[in-house]
Amino acid sequence: MSKNLKDVDQELFRKLLKAVVSGLEGKDCREVMKSIAESSVIPQERLSHIIAGMHRVLSEAIRIPTSLLKQETFKEDLRELRIPEDFIIDFSSVVFGNRRAALEAASSQNDPHLPTLEEFKWRVDVSISTSSLARALQPSVLMQLKLSDGSFQRFEVPVLKFQELRYNVALILKEMNDLEKKSILKIQD
Amino acid sequence: MADVEVTKSLSGLLNGIAQMVYYNKREITEELLKNELYPEMPLEEFKALYEKMKGLVKSIATADMDHAQLEAFLTAQTKRQGGIGLSTEQAAALSRFWKSQRVRVRGSLLAQSRWEPSLRGLSWRVDLQTGDSYGNTVHRGPVALMELELGRDGQDSEFVCLEFDETKVNQVLKKMADIQESIDRIVCRT
């Protein structure tokens, strides 16, 4: 990246950096990139190298918790990469500034995870009579779950099973509460 | 045939009918029942007996008769004239059969009117994330993973896996308290 940054002025650098940061935050920055590329004298190939380099530096820096990576160390590392001083200050202000939290939140959205529950609807029915049983009088719970992957799950829960389900959910909450209290949560490197 | 034999064969027949009609046992057939229980009986006579018993069992099951209703019903049947009535041994056999099978038959009938998949089982665990390919996640807290086993009567189960954070578990628990309240209101009234 450093040799490509020759004759890049600060204004252009900042524009590129801003675009890369919003890209890391999950926003669509294609339009912005296009307009930068069109209005700049720097050939596209060089711009691509710069952008790729910026992306790499920033994502790696965000990975490491601030307790481990100190600002001075970060700056030293960038100096070793022969990045001009002005640009180092800009990089640093992104990594250690107030946009850091937003960047961390955005990157954690890409973790592998199972679908989560977005919506939980229910109703309690009582079958009075059916084609097979003249007098049923059986209550049951109908649940509809909307999941984060867009799918719907609809199923019946007989009353006894519902008690079991409720008991287990309460147990899960208790486990989670207990876990919070234990010092295992305070894992430090 | 001695009375004991009559009763034994009839009990066997009634159980066989239940297996076929309510418990989905495909290996039990009318022919099998005749060969096992009434090998000497002429075919026409067996068929008549089989249909009669099957009809009675179905009436009793559909009405989900309690003890009093059953006694009244059987008494009425024994009083019928002209060969379509029941003997007292037969009535006794039916009574014994229903006492032992009522709950199971009722369960089977209820399942026949259940068209949505139902919750068969649940497993879960609580995890603590310590790291991932992107960054520092210690502040995220515990994550609950739940696996729901869903299935329709007679079909294989489908497994649905979900994850929850603590806030979500709390919300779900609150909704379940509402559901329980709703159930309690109904159960008290019936």
Side-chain angles (χ1 to χ4, degrees):
Chain A
M1 177 171 50
S2 53
K3 58 183 196 292
N4 284 310
L5 279 172
K6 253 168 54 175
D7 16 275
V8 170
D9 63 29
Q10 186 116 28
E11 198 194 318
L12 176 61
F13 178 83
R14 285 196 173 148
K15 269 198 208 153
L16 288 169
L17 191 62
K18 204 166 143 197
V20 172
V21 169
S22 68
L24 279 170
E25 280 174 358
K27 301 187 189 110
D28 187 354
C29 49
R30 284 173 295 183
E31 282 303 317
V32 176
M33 290 292 189
K34 226 172 112 187
S35 71
I36 297 177
E38 279 164 5
S39 61
S40 162
V41 297
I42 315 251
Q44 252 195 22
E45 205 192 313
R46 274 184 67 193
L47 281 176
S48 332
H49 283 300
I50 297 172
I51 290 167
M54 280 182 181
H55 191 278
R56 194 65 203 270
V57 166
L58 287 176
S59 7
E60 288 302 318
I62 300 287
R63 273 202 76 195
I64 306 171
T66 43
S67 49
L68 284 183
L69 179 67
K70 300 290 174 221
Q71 204 170 40
E72 268 317 303
T73 323
F74 179 63
K75 286 182 173 168
E76 272 303 315
D77 289 337
L78 291 181
R79 275 176 209 128
E80 270 182 49
L81 289 172
R82 295 215 275 265
I83 302 205
E85 195 62 33
D86 292 337
F87 298 166
I88 291 182
I89 297 176
D90 286 340
F91 269 130
S92 214
S93 71
V94 169
V95 175
F96 295 97
N98 47 16
R99 277 188 94 166
R100 168 99 188 214
L103 281 168
E104 272 183 357
S107 63
S108 69
Q109 294 220 5
N110 294 330
D111 303 344
H113 64 98
L114 291 171
T116 56
L117 187 64
E118 265 182 26
E119 204 179 60
F120 172 22
K121 288 190 183 166
W122 59 268
R123 80 176 196 229
V124 174
D125 284 338
V126 178
S127 299
I128 309 281
S129 183
T130 72
S131 48
S132 7
L133 205 52
R135 193 189 59 193
L137 294 178
Q138 184 81 3
S140 82
V141 183
L142 192 65
M143 291 189 182
Q144 179 165 291
L145 310 179
K146 181 176 174 202
L147 306 184
S148 58
D149 62 1
S151 65
F152 283 90
Q153 292 292 340
R154 186 168 56 224
F155 53 93
E156 254 198 70
V157 187
V159 173
L160 283 172
K161 253 306 177 269
F162 172 74
Q163 320 279 18
E164 194 186 316
L165 181 65
R166 187 180 176 207
Y167 171 74
N168 277 285
V169 174
L171 206 52
I172 291 174
L173 191 62
K174 180 181 177 303
E175 274 298 318
M176 289 174 129
N177 283 331
D178 287 348
L179 211 51
E180 303 247 274
K181 296 196 185 109
K182 292 192 182 131
S183 57
I184 195 169
L185 205 57
K186 301 176 180 90
I187 299 173
Q188 299 284 1
D189 291 289
Chain B
M1 264 197 259
D3 274 353
V4 171
E5 286 298 314
V6 168
T7 316
K8 248 176 79 178
S9 303
L10 189 58
S11 298
L13 181 63
L14 293 171
N15 278 314
I17 291 171
Q19 302 279 351
M20 282 171 72
V21 177
Y22 301 110
Y23 309 153
N24 289 323
K25 291 277 172 10
R26 286 171 213 250
E27 50 284 10
I28 313 249
T29 60
E30 203 181 316
E31 197 185 331
L32 181 78
L33 289 173
K34 179 183 186 309
N35 293 337
E36 292 294 311
L37 300 167
Y38 296 95
E40 310 295 311
M41 194 184 269
L43 188 59
E44 283 308 310
E45 201 184 320
F46 173 76
K47 266 187 166 345
L49 177 66
Y50 174 80
E51 289 302 324
K52 183 165 144 187
M53 288 300 135
K54 190 164 141 188
L56 289 170
V57 168
K58 278 190 161 177
S59 301
I60 297 170
T62 312
D64 189 33
M65 291 184 191
D66 61 24
H67 181 74
Q69 289 168 322
L70 183 66
E71 291 307 306
F73 177 73
L74 290 175
T75 310
Q77 291 295 320
T78 51
K79 291 206 161 65
R80 290 174 87 186
Q81 304 290 349
I84 52 170
L86 278 182
S87 70
T88 32
E89 294 87 20
Q90 287 176 328
L94 272 163
S95 182
R96 270 194 309 275
F97 163 78
W98 189 238
K99 273 198 180 76
S100 73
Q101 296 300 309
R102 182 186 179 189
V103 171
R104 203 171 156 196
V105 168
R106 187 186 149 86
S108 161
L109 286 172
L110 282 167
Q112 283 177 23
S113 309
R114 217 176 270 145
W115 305 302
E116 301 287 356
S118 70
L119 183 67
R120 286 179 174 168
L122 165 75
S123 345
W124 58 268
R125 72 169 201 246
V126 175
D127 279 356
L128 196 56
Q129 255 184 286
T130 56
D132 60 48
S133 45
Y134 283 89
N136 171 15
T137 57
V138 169
H139 60 272
R140 289 251 241 116
V143 168
L145 302 176
M146 219 189 273
E147 184 188 72
L148 302 170
E149 184 185 352
L150 307 173
R152 286 196 176 88
D153 207 32
Q155 289 178 6
D156 287 338
S157 294
E158 183 199 338
F159 292 88
V160 178
C161 297
L162 302 173
E163 79 172 41
F164 297 81
D165 60 21
E166 211 172 327
T167 319
K168 213 45 183 217
V169 176
N170 229 332
Q171 285 173 4
V172 169
L173 204 55
K174 283 204 176 72
K175 287 211 169 178
M176 291 192 159
D178 295 339
I179 296 175
Q180 186 63 54
E181 228 181 290
S182 194
I183 295 174
D184 290 341
R185 272 201 297 266
I186 299 171
V187 170
C188 285
R189 289 222 192 107
T190 51

